[in-house]
Coordinates of all heavy atoms in Angstrom, one line a residue:
M29 N -78.9 120.8 153.3 CA -77.9 120.3 154.3 C -78.5 120.3 155.7 O -78.9 121.3 156.2 CB -76.6 121.2 154.2 CG -75.5 120.6 155.0 SD -73.9 121.4 154.7 CE -74.2 123.1 154.2
S30 N -78.5 119.1 156.2 CA -79.2 118.9 157.5 C -78.1 119.0 158.7 O -77.1 118.3 158.7 CB -79.8 117.5 157.6 OG -80.2 117.3 158.9
P31 N -78.4 119.9 159.6 CA -77.5 120.0 160.8 C -77.4 118.7 161.6 O -76.4 118.4 162.2 CB -78.0 121.2 161.6 CG -79.4 121.4 161.1 CD -79.5 120.9 159.7
F32 N -78.5 117.9 161.6 CA -78.6 116.7 162.3 C -77.7 115.6 161.6 O -77.0 114.8 162.3 CB -80.0 116.2 162.4 CG -80.9 117.1 163.2 CD1 -81.9 117.8 162.5 CD2 -80.7 117.4 164.5 CE1 -82.6 118.7 163.2 CE2 -81.5 118.3 165.2 CZ -82.5 119.0 164.5
E33 N -77.6 115.6 160.3 CA -76.7 114.7 159.6 C -75.3 115.1 159.9 O -74.5 114.2 160.1 CB -77.0 114.8 158.1 CG -76.2 113.9 157.2 CD -76.6 114.0 155.8 OE1 -77.1 115.1 155.3 OE2 -76.4 113.1 155.0
I34 N -75.0 116.4 159.9 CA -73.6 116.8 160.2 C -73.2 116.4 161.6 O -72.1 115.9 161.8 CB -73.5 118.4 160.0 CG1 -73.7 118.7 158.6 CG2 -72.2 118.9 160.6 CD1 -73.9 120.2 158.3
I35 N -74.1 116.6 162.6 CA -73.8 116.2 164.0 C -73.6 114.7 164.1 O -72.6 114.3 164.7 CB -75.0 116.7 164.9 CG1 -75.0 118.2 165.0 CG2 -74.8 116.1 166.3 CD1 -76.2 118.8 165.7
M36 N -74.4 113.9 163.4 CA -74.3 112.5 163.4 C -72.9 112.1 162.9 O -72.2 111.3 163.5 CB -75.4 111.8 162.6 CG -75.2 110.3 162.5 SD -76.1 109.5 161.1 CE -75.2 110.2 159.7
L37 N -72.5 112.6 161.7 CA -71.3 112.3 161.1 C -70.1 112.7 161.9 O -69.1 112.0 162.0 CB -71.2 112.8 159.7 CG -72.1 112.1 158.7 CD1 -72.3 112.9 157.4 CD2 -71.7 110.7 158.4
L38 N -70.2 113.9 162.6 CA -69.1 114.4 163.4 C -69.0 113.5 164.7 O -67.9 113.2 165.1 CB -69.4 115.8 163.8 CG -69.2 116.9 162.7 CD1 -69.6 118.2 163.2 CD2 -67.7 116.9 162.2
C39 N -70.1 113.1 165.2 CA -70.0 112.2 166.4 C -69.4 110.8 166.1 O -68.6 110.3 166.8 CB -71.4 112.0 167.0 SG -72.0 113.5 167.8
F40 N -69.9 110.2 165.0 CA -69.3 109.0 164.5 C -67.9 109.1 164.2 O -67.0 108.3 164.6 CB -70.1 108.4 163.3 CG -71.4 107.9 163.6 CD1 -72.3 107.6 162.6 CD2 -71.9 107.6 164.9 CE1 -73.6 107.1 162.8 CE2 -73.1 107.1 165.2 CZ -74.0 106.8 164.1
G41 N -67.5 110.2 163.5 CA -66.2 110.4 163.1 C -65.2 110.7 164.3 O -64.0 110.3 164.2
A42 N -65.7 111.2 165.4 CA -64.9 111.4 166.6 C -64.4 110.1 167.2 O -63.4 110.1 167.8 CB -65.6 112.3 167.6
A43 N -65.2 109.1 167.0 CA -64.8 107.8 167.6 C -63.7 107.1 166.9 O -62.9 106.3 167.5 CB -66.1 106.9 167.7
W44 N -63.6 107.3 165.6 CA -62.6 106.5 164.8 C -61.2 106.8 165.1 O -60.4 105.8 165.2 CB -62.9 106.6 163.3 CG -64.2 105.9 163.0 CD1 -65.4 106.5 162.6 CD2 -64.6 104.6 163.2 NE1 -66.4 105.6 162.4 CE2 -65.9 104.4 162.8 CE3 -63.9 103.4 163.6 CZ2 -66.6 103.2 162.9 CZ3 -64.5 102.2 163.7 CH2 -65.9 102.1 163.3
P45 N -60.8 108.0 165.3 CA -59.3 108.2 165.7 C -58.9 107.5 167.0 O -57.8 106.9 167.0 CB -59.2 109.7 165.9 CG -60.3 110.3 165.0 CD -61.4 109.3 165.1
V46 N -59.8 107.4 167.9 CA -59.5 106.6 169.2 C -59.4 105.1 168.8 O -58.5 104.5 169.3 CB -60.6 106.9 170.2 CG1 -60.4 106.0 171.4 CG2 -60.7 108.3 170.6
S47 N -60.3 104.6 168.0 CA -60.2 103.2 167.6 C -58.9 102.9 166.9 O -58.3 101.9 167.1 CB -61.4 102.9 166.8 OG -61.4 101.5 166.4
I48 N -58.6 103.8 166.0 CA -57.3 103.7 165.2 C -56.1 103.7 166.1 O -55.2 102.8 166.0 CB -57.2 104.8 164.1 CG1 -58.3 104.5 163.0 CG2 -55.8 104.8 163.6 CD1 -58.4 105.7 162.1
Q49 N -56.1 104.6 167.1 CA -55.0 104.7 168.0 C -54.9 103.4 168.8 O -53.8 102.8 169.0 CB -55.2 105.9 168.9 CG -54.0 106.0 169.9 CD -54.2 107.2 170.8 OE1 -55.3 107.5 171.2 NE2 -53.1 107.9 171.1
K50 N -56.0 102.8 169.3 CA -56.0 101.6 170.1 C -55.5 100.4 169.2 O -54.7 99.6 169.7 CB -57.4 101.3 170.6 CG -57.7 102.2 171.8 CD -59.1 101.7 172.3 CE -59.5 102.6 173.5 NZ -60.8 102.2 174.0
S51 N -55.9 100.4 168.0 CA -55.5 99.3 167.1 C -54.0 99.4 166.8 O -53.3 98.4 166.8 CB -56.2 99.4 165.7 OG -57.6 99.1 165.9
W52 N -53.5 100.6 166.6 CA -52.1 100.8 166.3 C -51.2 100.4 167.5 O -50.2 99.7 167.3 CB -51.9 102.3 165.9 CG -50.4 102.6 165.6 CD1 -49.5 103.1 166.5 CD2 -49.7 102.3 164.4 NE1 -48.3 103.2 165.8 CE2 -48.4 102.7 164.6 CE3 -50.1 101.8 163.2 CZ2 -47.5 102.6 163.5 CZ3 -49.2 101.7 162.2 CH2 -47.9 102.1 162.4
R53 N -51.6 100.9 168.7 CA -50.8 100.6 169.9 C -50.9 99.1 170.3 O -49.9 98.6 170.7 CB -51.2 101.5 171.0 CG -50.8 102.9 170.9 CD -51.2 103.7 172.1 NE -50.7 105.1 171.9 CZ -51.0 106.1 172.7 NH1 -51.8 105.8 173.8 NH2 -50.6 107.3 172.6
S54 N -52.0 98.6 170.3 CA -52.2 97.2 170.8 C -51.6 96.1 169.9 O -51.3 95.1 170.4 CB -53.7 96.9 171.1 OG -54.4 96.7 169.8
K55 N -51.6 96.4 168.6 CA -51.2 95.4 167.7 C -51.9 94.1 167.8 O -51.4 93.0 167.7 CB -49.7 95.1 167.8 CG -48.9 96.4 167.4 CD -47.4 96.1 167.5 CE -46.7 97.4 167.0 NZ -45.4 97.6 167.7
S56 N -53.2 94.3 168.1 CA -54.1 93.1 168.4 C -55.5 93.3 167.7 O -55.9 94.5 167.5 CB -54.3 93.0 169.9 OG -55.4 92.1 170.2
T57 N -56.1 92.2 167.3 CA -57.4 92.3 166.7 C -58.5 92.1 167.8 O -59.7 92.2 167.5 CB -57.6 91.2 165.7 OG1 -57.4 89.9 166.3 CG2 -56.7 91.4 164.5
G58 N -58.1 92.0 169.0 CA -59.0 91.8 170.1 C -60.1 92.9 170.2 O -59.7 94.1 170.2
G59 N -61.3 92.5 170.3 CA -62.4 93.5 170.4 C -62.8 94.1 169.0 O -63.7 95.0 169.0
K60 N -62.2 93.7 168.0 CA -62.5 94.2 166.6 C -63.3 93.1 165.9 O -63.0 91.9 166.0 CB -61.2 94.5 165.8 CG -60.4 95.6 166.4 CD -61.1 97.0 166.0 CE -60.2 98.1 166.6 NZ -60.7 99.4 166.3
S61 N -64.1 93.6 165.0 CA -64.9 92.7 164.1 C -64.7 93.3 162.7 O -65.2 94.4 162.4 CB -66.3 92.7 164.5 OG -67.1 92.1 163.5
I62 N -64.0 92.5 161.8 CA -63.9 93.0 160.5 C -65.2 93.1 159.8 O -65.5 94.0 158.9 CB -62.8 92.2 159.7 CG1 -62.4 92.9 158.4 CG2 -63.4 90.8 159.4 CD1 -61.7 94.2 158.6
G63 N -66.1 92.2 160.1 CA -67.5 92.2 159.5 C -68.2 93.5 159.9 O -68.8 94.2 159.0
F64 N -68.1 94.0 161.1 CA -68.7 95.2 161.5 C -68.0 96.4 160.8 O -68.8 97.3 160.3 CB -68.5 95.4 163.1 CG -68.9 96.7 163.6 CD1 -70.3 97.0 163.7 CD2 -68.0 97.7 163.9 CE1 -70.7 98.2 164.2 CE2 -68.5 98.9 164.4 CZ -69.8 99.2 164.5
L65 N -66.7 96.4 160.7 CA -66.1 97.5 159.9 C -66.5 97.5 158.5 O -66.8 98.6 157.9 CB -64.5 97.3 160.0 CG -63.9 97.5 161.4 CD1 -62.4 97.2 161.4 CD2 -64.1 98.9 161.9
F66 N -66.7 96.4 157.9 CA -67.2 96.3 156.5 C -68.7 96.8 156.4 O -69.0 97.5 155.4 CB -67.0 95.0 155.8 CG -65.6 94.7 155.4 CD1 -65.1 93.5 155.6 CD2 -64.9 95.7 154.8 CE1 -63.7 93.2 155.2 CE2 -63.5 95.4 154.4 CZ -63.0 94.2 154.6
V67 N -69.5 96.5 157.4 CA -70.8 97.1 157.4 C -70.8 98.6 157.4 O -71.6 99.3 156.7 CB -71.7 96.4 158.5 CG1 -73.0 97.2 158.7 CG2 -71.9 95.0 158.3
I68 N -70.0 99.1 158.3 CA -69.9 100.6 158.4 C -69.4 101.2 157.1 O -69.9 102.2 156.7 CB -68.9 100.9 159.6 CG1 -69.5 100.4 160.9 CG2 -68.7 102.4 159.7 CD1 -70.9 101.0 161.3
L69 N -68.3 100.6 156.5 CA -67.8 101.1 155.3 C -68.9 101.1 154.2 O -69.1 102.1 153.4 CB -66.7 100.2 154.8 CG -65.3 100.4 155.5 CD1 -64.3 99.4 155.1 CD2 -64.8 101.8 155.3
T70 N -69.7 100.0 154.1 CA -70.8 100.0 153.2 C -71.8 101.1 153.4 O -72.3 101.7 152.5 CB -71.5 98.6 153.3 OG1 -70.6 97.6 153.1 CG2 -72.7 98.5 152.3
G71 N -72.1 101.4 154.7 CA -73.0 102.5 155.0 C -72.5 103.8 154.5 O -73.3 104.6 154.0
Y72 N -71.2 104.0 154.7 CA -70.6 105.3 154.3 C -70.6 105.4 152.8 O -70.9 106.5 152.2 CB -69.2 105.5 154.8 CG -69.2 105.9 156.3 CD1 -68.4 105.3 157.2 CD2 -70.1 106.8 156.8 CE1 -68.4 105.6 158.6 CE2 -70.1 107.2 158.1 CZ -69.3 106.6 159.0 OH -69.3 106.9 160.3
V73 N -70.4 104.3 152.1 CA -70.4 104.3 150.6 C -71.9 104.6 150.2 O -72.0 105.4 149.2 CB -70.0 102.9 150.0 CG1 -70.3 102.8 148.6 CG2 -68.5 102.7 150.2
A74 N -72.8 104.0 150.8 CA -74.2 104.3 150.5 C -74.5 105.8 150.7 O -75.2 106.4 149.8 CB -75.2 103.5 151.3
G75 N -74.0 106.4 151.8 CA -74.2 107.8 152.0 C -73.6 108.7 150.9 O -74.1 109.7 150.5
I76 N -72.4 108.3 150.5 CA -71.6 109.0 149.5 C -72.4 108.9 148.2 O -72.6 110.0 147.5 CB -70.2 108.5 149.3 CG1 -69.4 108.9 150.6 CG2 -69.5 109.0 148.1 CD1 -68.0 108.2 150.7
I77 N -72.9 107.8 147.8 CA -73.6 107.6 146.6 C -74.9 108.4 146.6 O -75.3 109.1 145.6 CB -73.9 106.1 146.3 CG1 -72.6 105.4 146.0 CG2 -74.9 105.9 145.2 CD1 -72.7 103.9 145.9
H78 N -75.6 108.4 147.7 CA -76.8 109.2 147.8 C -76.5 110.7 147.6 O -77.2 111.4 146.9 CB -77.4 109.0 149.2 CG -78.6 109.9 149.5 ND1 -79.8 109.7 148.9 CD2 -78.7 111.1 150.2 CE1 -80.6 110.7 149.3 NE2 -79.9 111.6 150.1
K79 N -75.4 111.2 148.2 CA -75.0 112.6 148.1 C -74.7 112.9 146.6 O -75.0 113.9 146.1 CB -73.9 112.9 149.0 CG -74.2 113.0 150.5 CD -75.2 114.1 150.7 CE -75.7 114.1 152.1 NZ -76.7 115.2 152.3
L80 N -74.0 112.0 146.0 CA -73.6 112.2 144.6 C -74.7 112.3 143.6 O -74.8 113.1 142.7 CB -72.6 111.1 144.1 CG -71.2 111.2 144.6 CD1 -70.4 109.9 144.3 CD2 -70.5 112.4 144.2
F81 N -75.7 111.4 143.8 CA -76.8 111.2 142.8 C -78.1 112.0 143.2 O -78.9 112.3 142.3 CB -77.1 109.8 142.6 CG -76.0 109.1 141.8 CD1 -75.2 108.2 142.4 CD2 -75.8 109.4 140.5 CE1 -74.2 107.5 141.8 CE2 -74.7 108.7 139.8 CZ -74.0 107.8 140.4
Y82 N -78.3 112.2 144.5 CA -79.7 112.7 144.9 C -79.6 114.0 145.6 O -80.6 114.8 145.6 CB -80.4 111.7 145.7 CG -80.7 110.4 145.0 CD1 -79.9 109.3 145.2 CD2 -81.6 110.3 143.9 CE1 -80.1 108.1 144.5 CE2 -81.8 109.2 143.2 CZ -81.1 108.1 143.5 OH -81.3 106.9 142.8
N83 N -78.6 114.3 146.4 CA -78.6 115.4 147.3 C -77.2 115.9 147.5 O -76.7 116.0 148.7 CB -79.3 115.0 148.6 CG -79.6 116.2 149.5 OD1 -79.7 117.3 149.0 ND2 -79.8 116.0 150.8
Y84 N -76.5 116.3 146.5 CA -75.1 116.7 146.6 C -75.0 118.0 147.5 O -75.7 119.0 147.2 CB -74.5 117.0 145.2 CG -73.0 117.2 145.4 CD1 -72.1 116.2 145.4 CD2 -72.5 118.5 145.4 CE1 -70.7 116.4 145.5 CE2 -71.1 118.8 145.5 CZ -70.3 117.7 145.6 OH -68.9 117.9 145.7
D85 N -74.2 117.9 148.5 CA -73.9 119.1 149.3 C -72.5 118.8 150.0 O -72.0 117.7 149.9 CB -75.0 119.4 150.3 CG -75.3 118.3 151.3 OD1 -74.4 117.6 151.7 OD2 -76.5 118.2 151.6
P86 N -72.0 119.8 150.7 CA -70.7 119.6 151.3 C -70.6 118.5 152.4 O -69.4 118.1 152.7 CB -70.4 121.0 152.0 CG -71.2 121.9 151.2 CD -72.4 121.2 150.8
V87 N -71.7 118.0 152.8 CA -71.6 116.9 153.8 C -71.0 115.7 153.3 O -70.5 114.8 154.0 CB -73.1 116.6 154.4 CG1 -73.1 115.5 155.3 CG2 -73.6 117.9 155.0
I88 N -70.9 115.5 152.0 CA -70.3 114.4 151.3 C -68.8 114.2 151.8 O -68.3 113.1 151.9 CB -70.3 114.5 149.8 CG1 -70.0 113.1 149.2 CG2 -69.5 115.6 149.3 CD1 -70.2 113.1 147.7
F89 N -68.2 115.4 152.2 CA -66.8 115.3 152.6 C -66.7 114.6 154.0 O -65.7 114.0 154.3 CB -66.2 116.7 152.6 CG -66.1 117.2 151.2 CD1 -66.9 118.3 150.8 CD2 -65.2 116.7 150.3 CE1 -66.8 118.8 149.5 CE2 -65.1 117.2 149.0 CZ -65.9 118.2 148.6
L90 N -67.7 114.8 154.8 CA -67.7 114.1 156.1 C -67.9 112.6 155.9 O -67.3 111.8 156.6 CB -68.8 114.7 157.0 CG -68.6 116.1 157.5 CD1 -69.8 116.6 158.3 CD2 -67.4 116.2 158.4
Y91 N -68.8 112.2 155.0 CA -68.9 110.8 154.7 C -67.6 110.2 154.2 O -67.2 109.2 154.6 CB -70.0 110.6 153.6 CG -71.4 110.6 154.1 CD1 -72.2 111.7 153.9 CD2 -72.0 109.5 154.7 CE1 -73.5 111.8 154.4 CE2 -73.3 109.5 155.2 CZ -74.0 110.7 155.0 OH -75.3 110.7 155.5
A92 N -66.9 111.0 153.3 CA -65.6 110.5 152.8 C -64.6 110.4 153.9 O -63.8 109.5 153.9 CB -65.2 111.4 151.6
L93 N -64.5 111.4 154.7 CA -63.6 111.4 155.8 C -63.8 110.2 156.7 O -62.9 109.5 157.1 CB -63.6 112.7 156.6 CG -62.8 112.8 157.9 CD1 -61.3 112.7 157.5 CD2 -63.0 114.1 158.6
N94 N -65.0 110.0 157.1 CA -65.4 108.9 158.0 C -65.0 107.6 157.3 O -64.5 106.6 157.9 CB -66.8 108.9 158.4 CG -67.1 109.9 159.5 OD1 -66.2 110.6 160.0 ND2 -68.4 110.2 159.8
F95 N -65.3 107.5 156.0 CA -65.0 106.2 155.3 C -63.5 106.0 155.3 O -63.0 104.9 155.6 CB -65.4 106.4 153.8 CG -65.0 105.2 153.0 CD1 -65.9 104.1 152.9 CD2 -63.8 105.2 152.3 CE1 -65.5 103.0 152.1 CE2 -63.4 104.1 151.6 CZ -64.3 103.0 151.5
C96 N -62.7 107.0 155.1 CA -61.2 106.9 155.2 C -60.8 106.4 156.6 O -59.9 105.6 156.7 CB -60.5 108.2 154.8 SG -60.7 108.6 153.1
L97 N -61.3 107.0 157.6 CA -61.0 106.6 159.0 C -61.3 105.1 159.2 O -60.5 104.4 159.8 CB -61.7 107.5 160.0 CG -61.2 108.9 160.0 CD1 -62.1 109.8 160.9 CD2 -59.7 109.0 160.5
V98 N -62.5 104.7 158.8 CA -62.8 103.3 159.0 C -61.9 102.4 158.2 O -61.5 101.3 158.6 CB -64.3 103.1 158.7 CG1 -64.7 101.6 158.9 CG2 -65.2 103.9 159.6
A99 N -61.6 102.8 157.0 CA -60.7 102.0 156.1 C -59.4 101.9 156.7 O -58.8 100.8 156.7 CB -60.6 102.7 154.7
V100 N -58.9 102.9 157.4 CA -57.6 102.8 158.1 C -57.7 101.8 159.2 O -56.8 100.9 159.4 CB -57.1 104.2 158.6 CG1 -56.0 104.0 159.6 CG2 -56.7 105.1 157.5
D101 N -58.8 101.8 160.0 CA -59.0 100.9 161.0 C -59.1 99.5 160.5 O -58.5 98.5 161.1 CB -60.2 101.2 161.8 CG -60.2 100.8 163.3 OD1 -59.1 100.4 163.8 OD2 -61.2 100.8 163.9
A102 N -59.7 99.3 159.4 CA -59.8 97.9 158.8 C -58.4 97.5 158.3 O -58.1 96.3 158.5 CB -60.8 98.0 157.6
M103 N -57.6 98.3 157.7 CA -56.3 98.0 157.3 C -55.4 97.6 158.5 O -54.7 96.6 158.5 CB -55.6 99.1 156.5 CG -56.2 99.3 155.1 SD -55.3 100.5 154.1 CE -56.0 102.0 154.7
L104 N -55.6 98.3 159.6 CA -54.9 98.0 160.9 C -55.3 96.6 161.4 O -54.5 95.9 162.0 CB -55.1 99.0 161.9 CG -54.3 100.3 161.7 CD1 -54.7 101.4 162.7 CD2 -52.8 100.1 161.7
Y105 N -56.6 96.3 161.2 CA -57.1 94.9 161.6 C -56.2 93.9 160.9 O -55.8 92.9 161.5 CB -58.6 94.8 161.3 CG -59.1 93.4 161.6 CD1 -59.6 93.1 162.8 CD2 -59.0 92.4 160.6 CE1 -60.0 91.8 163.1 CE2 -59.5 91.1 160.9 CZ -60.0 90.8 162.2 OH -60.4 89.6 162.5
F106 N -56.1 94.0 159.6 CA -55.3 93.0 158.8 C -53.9 93.0 159.2 O -53.2 91.9 159.3 CB -55.5 93.2 157.3 CG -56.9 92.9 156.9 CD1 -57.8 93.8 156.4 CD2 -57.4 91.5 156.9 CE1 -59.1 93.5 156.0 CE2 -58.7 91.2 156.5 CZ -59.5 92.2 156.1
R107 N -53.3 94.2 159.4 CA -51.9 94.3 159.9 C -51.8 93.5 161.2 O -50.8 92.8 161.4 CB -51.5 95.7 160.0 CG -50.2 95.9 160.8 CD -50.2 97.4 161.3 NE -49.2 97.6 162.3 CZ -49.4 98.0 163.5 NH1 -50.6 98.3 163.9 NH2 -48.4 98.2 164.4
N108 N -52.7 93.8 162.1 CA -52.6 93.2 163.5 C -52.8 91.7 163.4 O -52.2 91.0 164.2 CB -53.6 93.9 164.4 CG -53.2 95.3 164.7 OD1 -52.1 95.7 164.4 ND2 -54.2 96.1 165.2
R109 N -53.6 91.3 162.5 CA -53.9 89.8 162.4 C -52.6 89.1 161.9 O -52.2 88.1 162.4 CB -55.0 89.5 161.4 CG -55.4 88.1 161.4 CD -56.7 87.9 160.6 NE -56.4 88.0 159.2 CZ -57.2 87.7 158.2 NH1 -58.5 87.3 158.5 NH2 -56.9 87.8 157.0
R110 N -51.9 89.8 161.0 CA -50.6 89.3 160.5 C -49.6 89.2 161.7 O -48.8 88.2 161.8 CB -50.0 90.1 159.4 CG -50.5 89.8 158.0 CD -49.7 90.4 156.9 NE -49.3 91.8 157.1 CZ -50.0 92.8 156.7 NH1 -51.2 92.6 156.2 NH2 -49.6 94.0 156.9
I111 N -49.5 90.3 162.5 CA -48.6 90.3 163.6 C -49.0 89.2 164.6 O -48.1 88.5 165.1 CB -48.7 91.7 164.3 CG1 -48.1 92.8 163.5 CG2 -48.1 91.6 165.7 CD1 -48.3 94.2 163.9
E112 N -50.3 89.0 164.9 CA -50.7 87.9 165.8 C -50.3 86.5 165.2 O -49.8 85.7 166.0 CB -52.2 87.9 166.0 CG -52.6 89.1 166.9 CD -54.1 89.3 166.9 OE1 -54.9 88.7 166.1 OE2 -54.6 90.0 167.8
K113 N -50.5 86.3 163.9 CA -50.1 85.0 163.3 C -48.6 84.8 163.4 O -48.1 83.7 163.7 CB -50.6 84.9 161.9 CG -52.0 84.7 161.7 CD -52.4 84.5 160.3 CE -53.9 84.3 160.2 NZ -54.3 84.1 158.8
A114 N -47.8 85.8 163.1 CA -46.4 85.7 163.2 C -45.9 85.4 164.6 O -45.0 84.6 164.9 CB -45.7 87.0 162.7
S115 N -46.6 86.1 165.6 CA -46.2 85.8 167.0 C -46.5 84.4 167.4 O -45.8 83.7 168.1 CB -46.9 86.8 167.9 OG -46.5 88.1 167.7
S116 N -47.7 83.9 167.0 CA -48.1 82.5 167.4 C -47.2 81.5 166.7 O -46.9 80.5 167.3 CB -49.6 82.3 167.0 OG -49.7 82.2 165.7
Q117 N -46.7 81.8 165.5 CA -45.8 80.9 164.8 C -44.4 80.8 165.5 O -43.8 79.8 165.7 CB -45.6 81.2 163.4 CG -46.8 80.9 162.5 CD -46.7 81.4 161.1 OE1 -45.7 82.1 160.8 NE2 -47.6 81.1 160.3
L118 N -44.0 82.0 166.1 CA -42.7 82.0 166.8 C -42.8 81.2 168.1 O -41.9 80.5 168.5 CB -42.3 83.5 167.1 CG -41.8 84.3 165.9 CD1 -41.6 85.7 166.4 CD2 -40.6 83.7 165.3
V119 N -44.0 81.3 168.7 CA -44.2 80.6 170.0 C -44.2 79.1 169.8 O -43.7 78.3 170.5 CB -45.5 81.1 170.7 CG1 -45.9 80.2 171.9 CG2 -45.4 82.5 171.1
Q120 N -44.8 78.7 168.6 CA -44.9 77.2 168.3 C -43.5 76.6 168.0 O -43.4 75.4 168.1 CB -45.9 77.0 167.2 CG -47.3 77.3 167.6 CD -48.3 77.2 166.4 OE1 -47.8 76.9 165.3 NE2 -49.5 77.4 166.6
E121 N -42.6 77.4 167.5 CA -41.3 76.9 167.1 C -40.4 76.7 168.2 O -40.3 76.7 169.2 CB -40.6 77.8 166.1 CG -41.4 77.9 164.8 CD -40.8 78.9 163.8 OE1 -39.9 79.6 164.2 OE2 -41.3 78.9 162.7

């Protein structure tokens, strides 16, 4: 178990609750990239797979936690996109 890997995952993980909060409050997709979120999710999946097959240790839980946080942010992106579409349709009517 590498302390540097733990620090990296904790630092990355600390940013996601702030991003989730901003997404929730703003109800906007502004400044978000769903492609970027999917790249990050893919990276966490790769980390989890590596831990499962090559180097299982408790750090896998940090990968899983970070994956869940990014997944929530991605779901909020789609929610916010629906809100934006509904708002634009109301304005057009």
